[in-house]
Amino acid sequence: MSDAYYLRLTDHLRELLSGPEAFEEGRLPAERTLAERFRTTRVTLRQALAQLEGEGLIHRSNRRGWFVSPARLDYDPTRDAGFNDYVRAQGRRPRTEVLHTDTRPHRPAAEALGLPVDCSFHHIRRRRFVDDRAVLAESLWVVPARAPDLLQGDFAANSLWGELRSRWGLTLAHRSLRLYSEALAEREAAELGVAPGTAGLSVRRAIFDAQRRPVEYDEEHWLHDALCITVELENKA
Amino acid sequence: MSDAYYLRLTDHLRELLSGPEAFEEGRLPAERTLAERFRTTRVTLRQALAQLEGEGLIHRSNRRGWFVSPARLDYDPTRDAGFNDYVRAQGRRPRTEVLHTDTRPHRPAAEALGLPVDCSFHHIRRRRFVDDRAVLAESLWVVPARAPDLLQGDFAANSLWGELRSRWGLTLAHRSLRLYSEALAEREAAELGVAPGTAGLSVRRAIFDAQRRPVEYDEEHWLHDALCITVELENKA
DNA sequence: GTCAAAGTCTGGTCTATACCAGTTTGGCTT
DNA sequence: AAGCCAAACTGGTATAGACCAGACTTTGAC
């Protein structure tokens, strides 16, 4: 326990959250109610809430309220398991919405895959849910030569990587990952129903096949408290 | 550009930061000065600063001021390269301080390595700097049977993994990583000279040798804006 | 019964001000 | 010249209040 009032408030709320009752329905009372109950101002109370948000214990839905965060999803970005599979494997309910598809050049994808900046990609933009909470906004750019009529498929139900393997016989051999914390931009924030600037985690992947030909580039934007990256490795130098 | 004033302020400051002049010496003017210059209050100004902090563009040193953040350090936690090596390879200046060593049981280490909870480890606590900014607080727990007189070495200058290999002939074969965003606890915050609750990234590693015997468990706490995780992978299922 | 409008709830943004607590500085003492 | 101490400076915490904007609920007209 610390000296600053908002830190003691944070500790207090943390206890309530971990207690048996927690808050009904996983929803916290309104800020004004909590501020009054703890005899402080909304400003100070919000400092405590922001603290807990940073710890990943609670989150907010834009102008709707504060909610208790569920356990983080374990996610291994080095594996090809489909989102639906590993979410279900953890006893959670996955859902995917395709927001947009087109075929256009995209500079970051081209650069990451070592292609000329003006070459086109099949682009899929989608939003993914765990237990009805939107936790991930992502874009995929696939090299058309590798998967010509990709955009006719059903990207929501099927694993994209499963499709690439079964329909075009692609083996995903080499991949390059970049991963860092970010503040969600307006677009991603809107898609995930959170305030712009909310803390997020960005995962970018460039994938090549067994002949080292570029296959795909993708960019994921996760809510920071929604996941725990796990990786299992054998025998690497 | 957005509607809220603090967001326009954020955009404005972001431009200044990316501009040719930036701020002299990488230090921002005092909050009171900036608030006056932009004709607003410290509260609103701090909202804008917090936004930029979340983006990793600026950071603060506890009660000293705001500073322009340097480029993120590329870091591959799946490789055994020593901190000193890869920091220097990126043209930066590494430094390490050993804060504490002892030999004690540690439950999380025992659990991660699959050992009885009461078994002891050689424990090293240290703090690491990039260009004189403390960016990482870490603890290592090494199984004594693997490296009996470990604590006599010089952990600051040498790579721990190099030591394990050269002095005890260990091959680090299997490793298990967990990685997630966190709010820095009081201890880590104090060691890194930031306010408690500052956004961080936690990396935990359990490492086993070729015979699958447990070797080491470690826990790293990074400032969130100090690093970019990069991983290169070949041929994984 | 449907649906749209009005009202009420929520968090989001903002002003103005005050005092606290470490850090740094600079001048004074020795 | 070295060391110490006080003042000045920094961000950190807190109060009290106001209004805005989107989400939700209720009501009432059709």
Side-chain angles (χ1 to χ4, degrees):
Chain A
M1 306 276 170
S2 290
D3 41 349
Y5 183 54
Y6 86 93
L7 285 176
R8 283 188 289 130
L9 227 182
T10 305
D11 292 333
H12 192 156
L13 288 168
R14 196 171 12 236
E15 273 173 35
L16 289 181
L17 287 168
S18 64
E21 283 303 296
F23 294 102
E24 31 182 325
E25 313 243 342
R27 177 172 195 157
L28 275 69
E31 293 181 358
R32 288 168 175 84
T33 309
L34 286 171
E36 192 178 5
R37 179 184 308 173
F38 293 109
R39 298 172 202 296
T40 183
T41 36
R42 261 181 82 204
V43 181
T44 301
L45 176 86
R46 277 169 67 87
Q47 241 179 308
L49 292 175
Q51 193 75 196
L52 295 170
E53 185 183 32
E55 294 174 18
L57 295 177
I58 60 176
H59 65 273
R60 57 184 120 179
S61 181
N62 214 349
R63 283 172 220 274
R64 297 202 315 122
W66 290 89
F67 300 85
V68 180
S69 287
R72 291 174 191 254
L73 186 74
D74 282 331
Y75 170 52
D76 185 342
T78 68
R79 303 207 167 257
D80 292 342
F83 178 81
N84 292 319
D85 295 333
Y86 63 78
V87 171
R88 259 192 286 268
Q90 292 173 51
R92 315 285 285 273
R93 193 158 36 80
R95 185 156 65 87
T96 301
E97 271 177 21
V98 176
L99 301 175
H100 181 79
T101 64
D102 61 9
T103 300
R104 274 193 305 111
H106 184 68
R107 193 191 189 103
E111 284 172 354
L113 294 172
L115 294 169
V117 295
D118 59 344
C119 76
S120 278
F121 299 94
H122 290 324
H123 172 216
I124 301 172
R125 178 79 178 175
R126 51 191 183 181
R127 166 163 64 170
R128 311 197 100 162
F129 298 75
V130 174
D131 295 338
D132 286 320
R133 179 186 180 204
V135 296
L136 165 62
E138 68 172 350
S139 275
L140 303 103
W141 290 272
V142 180
V143 177
R146 297 294 101 72
D149 48 351
L150 174 74
L151 297 185
Q152 269 78 58
D154 176 2
F155 339 106
N158 305 326
S159 155
L160 179 75
W161 288 328
E163 295 272 289
L164 291 177
R165 192 159 29 226
S166 62
R167 286 176 62 187
W168 293 281
L170 288 170
T171 316
L172 309 179
H174 173 77
R175 67 206 71 196
S176 161
L177 265 84
R178 296 180 72 79
L179 196 151
Y180 56 89
S181 69
E182 65 173 349
L184 296 175
E186 288 198 44
R187 180 191 187 186
E188 284 80 28
E191 288 170 350
L192 298 178
V194 298
T198 298
L201 210 62
S202 169
V203 181
R204 286 150 199 251
R205 236 181 328 227
I207 301 179
F208 302 81
D209 71 4
Q211 289 82 52
R212 202 131 188 139
R213 293 178 304 178
V215 174
E216 185 210 345
Y217 171 72
D218 62 65
E219 206 175 293
E220 303 179 348
H221 301 275
W222 291 82
L223 295 182
H224 90 284
D225 67 342
L227 84 169
C228 174
I229 308 269
T230 70
V231 182
E232 297 286 329
L233 285 173
E234 291 297 335
N235 212 13
K236 231 163 136 264
Chain B
M1 305 274 173
S2 290
D3 41 349
Y5 184 54
Y6 86 93
L7 284 176
R8 284 188 288 131
L9 227 180
T10 305
D11 292 333
H12 192 157
L13 288 168
R14 196 172 11 237
E15 273 173 34
L16 289 180
L17 287 167
S18 64
E21 283 303 297
F23 294 103
E24 34 182 324
E25 312 244 342
R27 179 173 194 158
L28 274 68
E31 292 181 359
R32 289 170 175 82
T33 309
L34 285 172
E36 192 179 5
R37 181 183 309 174
F38 294 109
R39 299 173 200 296
T40 183
T41 36
R42 263 181 79 204
V43 181
T44 300
L45 176 84
R46 277 168 68 85
Q47 241 180 309
L49 292 175
Q51 193 75 194
L52 295 169
E53 185 183 32
E55 295 174 17
L57 295 177
I58 60 176
H59 65 275
R60 57 184 123 183
S61 182
N62 214 348
R63 283 171 220 274
R64 297 203 315 122
W66 291 90
F67 300 85
V68 180
S69 288
R72 291 173 190 254
L73 186 74
D74 282 331
Y75 170 51
D76 185 342
T78 68
R79 303 206 166 256
D80 292 343
F83 179 81
N84 292 319
D85 295 332
Y86 63 76
V87 172
R88 259 193 286 268
Q90 293 174 50
R92 317 285 284 273
R93 194 158 33 79
R95 186 155 65 88
T96 301
E97 273 177 19
V98 175
L99 301 175
H100 182 78
T101 64
D102 62 9
T103 300
R104 274 192 306 110
H106 185 69
R107 192 189 192 105
E111 284 173 354
L113 295 172
L115 294 168
V117 296
D118 58 344
C119 75
S120 278
F121 299 94
H122 290 324
H123 172 215
I124 302 172
R125 178 80 179 174
R126 51 190 183 182
R127 166 162 64 172
R128 312 198 98 162
F129 299 75
V130 174
D131 296 336
D132 287 318
R133 179 187 178 201
V135 296
L136 166 62
E138 68 171 351
S139 274
L140 302 105
W141 290 273
V142 181
V143 177
R146 295 296 102 71
D149 49 351
L150 174 75
L151 297 186
Q152 269 77 59
D154 175 2
F155 339 105
N158 304 327
S159 155
L160 177 76
W161 288 329
E163 294 272 289
L164 291 177
R165 191 159 30 226
S166 62
R167 285 176 62 188
W168 293 281
L170 289 169
T171 316
L172 310 178
H174 174 76
R175 67 206 69 194
S176 161
L177 265 84
R178 295 180 72 78
L179 196 151
Y180 56 89
S181 68
E182 65 174 350
L184 296 176
E186 287 198 44
R187 181 190 186 187
E188 285 78 29
E191 289 170 350
L192 299 179
V194 298
T198 298
L201 211 63
S202 169
V203 181
R204 286 149 199 251
R205 234 180 329 225
I207 301 179
F208 303 81
D209 71 3
Q211 288 81 53
R212 203 134 189 136
R213 295 178 304 180
V215 174
E216 184 210 345
Y217 171 72
D218 62 64
E219 208 175 291
E220 303 179 348
H221 301 275
W222 292 81
L223 294 182
H224 91 283
D225 66 341
L227 84 168
C228 174
I229 308 269
T230 69
V231 181
E232 297 285 329
L233 286 173
E234 291 296 336
N235 213 11
K236 247 185 116 244

